[in-house]
Amino acid sequence: QVSADDPETAFCTLANREELNPEEDSIHHCLYQFTRNETLTETNKLLCDVCTQRHCGPKNNIKSEKKYVYTNAKKQMLVSLAPPILTLHLKRFQHAGFNLQKVNRHIKFPEVIDLAPFCTAKCKNVAEGNTKVLYSLYGIVEHSGTMKSGHYTAYVKMRAMNNHLSDLVLRGQSQALETEPVKGQWFHISDTHVQPVSVSKVLSSQAYLLFYERLL
């Protein structure tokens, strides 16, 4: 979906992504790589209708002559609508020859994350002038084992009702002013076993799925 027809603003973000300098093996680095600007060349060139019409004449003659014109292009995937709940799914496998191998290394993630460097400059449901889109961590899914077998556990924060989040979900309105993590107690859940854990324990987990709720 094209969110900006103006080439000058099509690749602009709410916050300057070049100032991030994200640390390797971090969720910021993952998001930075996923939303990086790509150049499409050679076999990845883009079919250009305008160039084709210039080369072949009127549009009704394009299909008959089959002289399509492909051109170099730039591509970038950015967030155009900041969701009430942000779910990040980490790719926990890699190809090892003809087999799939699980990726076990720890990926760092924060309690509060700013999505603004990965949002388009004209991101919907973000007030004009805002340069931050903050989210607070409230849930994690962790997988232990291999690609063939294993066990899923979860970390969940028990916290008070977030009225601002309810307004955003039910009415599409955001008046949240919080910039700090939502206060609450973290619990580790494995089948029927539940126990309280510290924030440091949560942040050291090997996350497979991350769940954040909108703050600002």
Side-chain angles (χ1 to χ4, degrees):
Q1 179 183 359
V2 177
S3 60
D5 295 327
D6 184 358
E8 295 298 324
T9 60
F11 298 96
C12 293
T13 52
L14 277 175
N16 189 351
R17 59 189 282 112
E18 300 308 322
E19 294 180 355
L20 276 178
N21 192 24
E23 185 181 357
E24 288 278 354
D25 293 337
S26 69
I27 199 67
H28 288 96
H29 187 261
C30 293
L31 287 168
Y32 186 87
Q33 290 294 99
F34 185 76
T35 59
R36 73 186 187 279
N37 194 319
E38 301 177 59
T39 302
L40 306 179
T41 60
E42 299 179 354
T43 57
N44 291 322
K45 284 184 177 181
L46 194 69
L47 172 60
C48 179
D49 290 335
V50 175
C51 302
T52 301
Q53 290 180 42
R54 287 174 181 170
H55 182 75
C56 302
K59 192 172 183 179
N60 56 3
N61 292 332
I62 292 177
K63 290 186 178 180
S64 60
E65 297 186 20
K66 294 184 179 179
K67 294 180 180 178
Y68 300 108
V69 177
Y70 293 82
T71 183
N72 293 338
K74 289 197 300 182
K75 170 190 171 185
Q76 187 174 26
M77 296 178 65
L78 296 171
V79 177
S80 62
L81 177 66
I85 299 297
L86 176 66
T87 304
L88 300 177
H89 183 182
L90 279 69
K91 182 180 177 181
R92 281 287 181 186
F93 67 89
Q94 63 185 6
H95 289 278
F98 293 102
N99 299 316
L100 289 177
Q101 185 178 48
K102 186 183 175 187
V103 177
N104 288 310
R105 67 176 178 271
H106 175 67
I107 300 298
K108 297 179 182 178
F109 53 91
E111 277 192 89
V112 173
I113 190 168
D114 185 5
L115 204 64
F118 317 108
C119 293
T120 177
K122 296 182 179 180
C123 189
K124 301 170 187 176
N125 73 357
V126 174
E128 187 175 352
N130 276 11
T131 57
K132 289 183 179 295
V133 183
L134 301 181
Y135 288 83
S136 177
L137 183 70
Y138 75 90
I140 300 170
V141 172
E142 185 179 42
H143 178 267
S144 58
T146 65
M147 292 294 295
K148 295 182 179 180
S149 64
H151 181 58
Y152 289 97
T153 57
Y155 291 90
V156 179
K157 179 190 281 188
M158 190 177 77
R159 68 243 189 266
M161 178 70 177
N162 187 336
N163 294 323
H164 297 301
L165 185 63
S166 298
D167 290 339
L168 184 61
V169 172
L170 299 176
R171 290 180 285 276
Q173 300 173 347
S174 176
Q175 299 178 352
L177 299 175
E178 295 90 344
T179 58
E180 298 296 327
V182 177
K183 294 181 179 179
Q185 173 63 54
W186 281 98
F187 290 89
H188 182 234
I189 304 170
S190 178
D191 294 333
T192 59
H193 183 66
V194 180
Q195 70 177 73
V197 292
S198 64
V199 174
S200 60
K201 173 68 174 176
V202 172
L203 296 180
S204 65
S205 66
Q206 191 171 294
Y208 177 53
L209 290 168
L210 293 166
F211 298 91
Y212 287 86
E213 60 184 333
R214 180 89 175 266
L215 288 178
L216 179 64

